[in-house]
Amino acid sequence: VQLQASGGGLVQAGGSLRLSCAASGRIFSSSVMTWFRQAPGKEREFVGAMRWGRGSTYYADSVKGRFTISKNNAENTVYLQMNSLKPEDTAVYYCARGSDLAYAPAQYNHWGQGTQVTVSS
């Protein structure tokens, strides 16, 4: 299953963006769909995740209350709604698929290509 991330762009601080991650095939209910981000000069960090079958979500403290993960089962797509964006949210955002919830990028073998999010102050 290949992942295709999209929806990034340039937005002013306080604005919103919605990222999409479309899978080329069915996402199994046991899968975990996760969003990471990587800012220039920094390590890739966990943003949030969703257990596909249950729909339960998990977020990094830095985005909790501002970002929301949702899904469309029929379209095998996971979304990351980002509100109240801050300049420190600027990064390349990646989606990944795993078999269990994990916060370390090394635990994931299936990645989308990344989409750039730039938040201006």
Side-chain angles (χ1 to χ4, degrees), residues 84-103:
S84 301
L85 282 162
K86 304 175 182 180
E88 51 263 46
D89 295 318
T90 295
V92 177
Y93 283 71
Y94 298 89
C95 59
R97 181 176 65 88
S99 57
D100 203 354
L101 178 64
Y103 299 97

Side-chain angles (χ1 to χ4, degrees), residues 1-6 20-22 33-35 44 92-97 109-115:
V1 174
Q2 294 183 332
L3 303 176
Q4 180 77 29
S6 62
S20 300
C21 177
M33 299 300 294
T34 305
W35 289 95
R44 195 168 296 189
V92 177
Y93 283 71
Y94 298 89
C95 59
R97 181 176 65 88
N109 294 320
H110 302 278
W111 291 86
Q113 84 286 5
T115 185

Side-chain angles (χ1 to χ4, degrees), residues 4 13 16 18 20 23 27-28 40-41 46-47 50 62 69-70 82 92 94 115 117 120:
Q4 180 77 29
S16 299
R18 189 178 80 157
S20 300
I27 301 174
F28 292 103
F46 173 86
V47 174
M50 172 182 276
S62 59
I69 297 175
S70 61
M82 305 185 295
V92 177
Y94 298 89
T115 185
V117 172
S120 63

